[in-house]
Short mmCIF file of all heavy atoms in Angstrom, two decimals:
data_model
loop_
_atom_site.label_atom_id
_atom_site.label_comp_id
_atom_site.label_asym_id
_atom_site.label_seq_id
_atom_site.Cartn_x
_atom_site.Cartn_y
_atom_site.Cartn_z
N PRO A 29 -47.45 -28.21 14.59
CA PRO A 29 -47.61 -27.04 13.72
C PRO A 29 -46.24 -26.56 13.22
O PRO A 29 -45.33 -26.34 14.01
CB PRO A 29 -48.28 -26.00 14.63
CG PRO A 29 -48.92 -26.80 15.70
CD PRO A 29 -48.12 -28.04 15.89
N ALA A 53 -35.01 -24.06 -0.23
CA ALA A 53 -35.37 -24.37 -1.62
C ALA A 53 -35.44 -23.11 -2.47
O ALA A 53 -35.20 -23.15 -3.68
CB ALA A 53 -36.71 -25.11 -1.65
N ASP A 59 -24.51 -14.83 -3.89
CA ASP A 59 -24.60 -14.03 -2.68
C ASP A 59 -26.00 -13.49 -2.49
O ASP A 59 -26.23 -12.28 -2.48
CB ASP A 59 -23.65 -12.83 -2.85
CG ASP A 59 -22.46 -12.97 -1.94
OD1 ASP A 59 -22.51 -13.83 -1.05
OD2 ASP A 59 -21.50 -12.21 -2.15
N ASP A 69 -22.38 5.00 -12.86
CA ASP A 69 -21.49 5.58 -13.87
C ASP A 69 -21.12 7.00 -13.40
O ASP A 69 -21.34 7.34 -12.23
CB ASP A 69 -22.12 5.54 -15.27
CG ASP A 69 -23.43 6.29 -15.34
OD1 ASP A 69 -23.67 7.16 -14.47
OD2 ASP A 69 -24.24 6.03 -16.27
N PHE A 96 -20.69 -0.24 0.89
CA PHE A 96 -19.55 -0.87 0.22
C PHE A 96 -20.05 -2.01 -0.68
O PHE A 96 -19.63 -2.13 -1.85
CB PHE A 96 -18.53 -1.40 1.24
CG PHE A 96 -17.44 -2.16 0.57
CD1 PHE A 96 -16.41 -1.49 -0.07
CD2 PHE A 96 -17.46 -3.55 0.52
CE1 PHE A 96 -15.41 -2.18 -0.75
CE2 PHE A 96 -16.47 -4.25 -0.15
CZ PHE A 96 -15.44 -3.56 -0.78
N GLY A 106 -11.49 11.52 7.92
CA GLY A 106 -11.09 11.73 9.31
C GLY A 106 -10.31 10.57 9.89
O GLY A 106 -10.25 10.41 11.11
N GLU A 196 -24.38 -3.41 -25.63
CA GLU A 196 -24.16 -2.59 -26.83
C GLU A 196 -23.16 -3.19 -27.80
O GLU A 196 -23.21 -2.90 -28.99
CB GLU A 196 -23.70 -1.18 -26.40
CG GLU A 196 -24.79 -0.43 -25.64
CD GLU A 196 -24.25 0.64 -24.70
OE1 GLU A 196 -23.12 1.10 -24.93
OE2 GLU A 196 -24.96 1.00 -23.74
N CYS A 237 -15.56 -11.25 -12.04
CA CYS A 237 -14.38 -10.44 -11.73
C CYS A 237 -13.82 -9.81 -13.01
O CYS A 237 -13.85 -10.44 -14.06
CB CYS A 237 -13.32 -11.35 -11.09
SG CYS A 237 -11.96 -10.48 -10.31
N PHE A 252 -4.89 -14.98 -36.65
CA PHE A 252 -4.90 -13.54 -36.93
C PHE A 252 -6.27 -12.89 -36.73
O PHE A 252 -6.39 -11.86 -36.09
CB PHE A 252 -4.37 -13.29 -38.35
CG PHE A 252 -4.39 -11.83 -38.69
CD1 PHE A 252 -3.46 -10.95 -38.13
CD2 PHE A 252 -5.36 -11.30 -39.53
CE1 PHE A 252 -3.48 -9.60 -38.41
CE2 PHE A 252 -5.39 -9.94 -39.82
CZ PHE A 252 -4.45 -9.09 -39.25
N SER A 321 -19.04 -11.27 5.15
CA SER A 321 -19.23 -12.01 6.39
C SER A 321 -19.75 -11.07 7.48
O SER A 321 -20.72 -11.39 8.19
CB SER A 321 -17.90 -12.64 6.79
OG SER A 321 -17.93 -13.02 8.13
#
Side-chain angles (χ1 to χ4, degrees):
D59 251 348
D69 60 21
F96 174 78
E196 294 155 23
C237 193
F252 179 73
S321 163

